[in-house]
Amino acid sequence: MVDRTQVDVLYDVDEMPPVREAIPLGLQHVLVMVASNVTIPIIIAGVVGATTGETAFLVQVALLVAGLTTLLQTIGIGPIGARLPVVQGTSFGFLVIAIPLAQEYGLSAVFGGAIFAGVVQVALGFGLRWLRSLFPPLVSGIVVLVIGVGLLPAGINLAGGGVGAEDFGSATNLAMAGVVLVTILLAYALGKGILSAASVLVGLVVGYLVAIPFGLVDGAPIVDAAWFAFPEPLRFGLTFPTAAIIGMGVMAIATSVETIGDLAAITKGGAGREVTDRELSGGVIADGVGTAFASLFSAMPNTSFSQNVGLVAFTGVMSRHVVSVGAGFLILAGFVPKVAAVISAMPSAVLGGAAVVMFAMVAAAGIRLLAETRLDRRDLLIIAVAVGVGQGMATVPDLVAIAPEQLRVLLVTGIVPAGFLAVLLNVLLPGRDSGTDSPLGVVVAPDPLRPQSTGPVPHDRTRQAGEVPPGADEEPPDGSPAPPR
């Protein structure tokens, strides 16, 4: 069980809320992620000139596969799955590679390359047990912070009505987003129990209903959608051009870095602890298996959804079973296009009102991870360089316009350069081990800003009011007396 004095946990990872609470909490996860999940197949369909029926099929399988791969994360099979409240969905990271591939070779190349990407992620997942030392709280916190900050523009764009919308930034769109945001805050602050925990769902439902009389909900797709349809595997086939193998393989590495950050953010923001080796490895492996599996159903590569990470931190509902309930809704929508159409019709501005909060919560989880480290001048320098360079490239993508396409795609994510620099600087800069020895074997002087200790440093350097001092009443696993602190 998690220490609830350190973080406000409503339900722990393995706890199952009552059904009357689990259903709305699970549906809340679906509504938070569904717009992003269906946007990517719609974009791809437009790129290749797909028919209306083909577009509807791509949306349908995106929902179905998201539900199945989410269950793979929450329930797990052997070494596959983090067994955390992780929501999977179609990945925006692969979109920049998928568009030129689809235009040049067709959708079959996108799905063929995605199978290789899945294999790359599975290999990385099995190797993470040996790479774990490269991702201490300092590095993980930087990655999570950059993910959250990088997502904020997407949330603001949604609140304005969506990129490219004719009425972008209109008073109506901003009012809709404001209604959702205010409703979430009121439900969270004034509600009790499930009303407070499901405050995001309350805000989305209220915003949806308010948007209907303003004509912001398009009912035509809902009327035209069928009641039942079974997705056809390999509808668009599979091909494996070299460009698809290289491009998708490189993006698999970038997506794995993002997933590592998401997993670290879930455990820190939702349970107040660091992610374990088992959870990291299983989560990245599940990412890879889900991406390869998605290709067999003509669905885009899957990855963990950061907005749902923010939802876990915001609500304190850490239960993986709640997310499994949400996965059930996604699977249902995958077989019942009518349900999928109702969810997909949610106006962008309504979703944006919630997305701003969710994305900012991801950044807050990164800050919390960084707070686990006694930040000295060395650590602050690493944060400054990694965040400054990484987020700078994401903000001004023209800075690396001269780079080769495959490299440029990685750099402008912000996540990859920030994560790479954080790992590299943390390994190379002297003073990693409490200002004594650098990993290069060079003895350095103690940092005058770092408090010096004459004994072992407890892992958790914070203590809550009334908490027993570390080591006062605990014994090592082997039963020998605890060393003096």
Side-chain angles (χ1 to χ4, degrees), residues 174-200:
L174 296 179
M176 286 295 101
V179 166
V180 175
L181 179 57
V182 171
T183 302
I184 291 173
L185 294 175
L186 290 176
Y188 181 80
L190 303 180
K192 295 182 179 180
I194 184 61
L195 181 61
S196 178
S199 55
V200 174

Side-chain angles (χ1 to χ4, degrees), residues 62-113:
L63 292 168
L64 175 62
V65 169
L68 293 174
T69 54
T70 296
L71 287 180
L72 193 62
Q73 283 283 21
T74 58
I75 298 176
I77 301 175
I80 306 172
R83 292 167 176 81
L84 291 171
V86 179
V87 176
Q88 296 283 118
T90 48
S91 170
F92 271 101
F94 285 94
L95 188 59
V96 289
I97 297 294
I99 289 177
L101 285 176
Q103 291 172 327
E104 182 70 22
Y105 303 100
L107 287 175
S108 61
V110 175
F111 301 132

Side-chain angles (χ1 to χ4, degrees), residues 139-155 254-266 303-310 355 358-367 369 386-387 390-391 394 413-416 418-419:
V139 173
S140 299
I142 289 173
V143 173
V144 174
L145 177 60
V146 172
I147 290 174
V149 173
L151 286 171
L152 284 176
T255 303
S256 297
V257 173
E258 182 178 359
T259 298
I260 290 171
D262 285 341
L263 294 171
I266 282 180
T303 189
S304 55
F305 264 32
S306 298
Q307 54 262 52
N308 292 85
V309 174
M358 298 302 97
F359 294 163
M361 286 298 295
V362 176
I367 295 173
L369 272 168
V387 175
Q391 195 55 39
T413 63
I415 300 167
V416 174

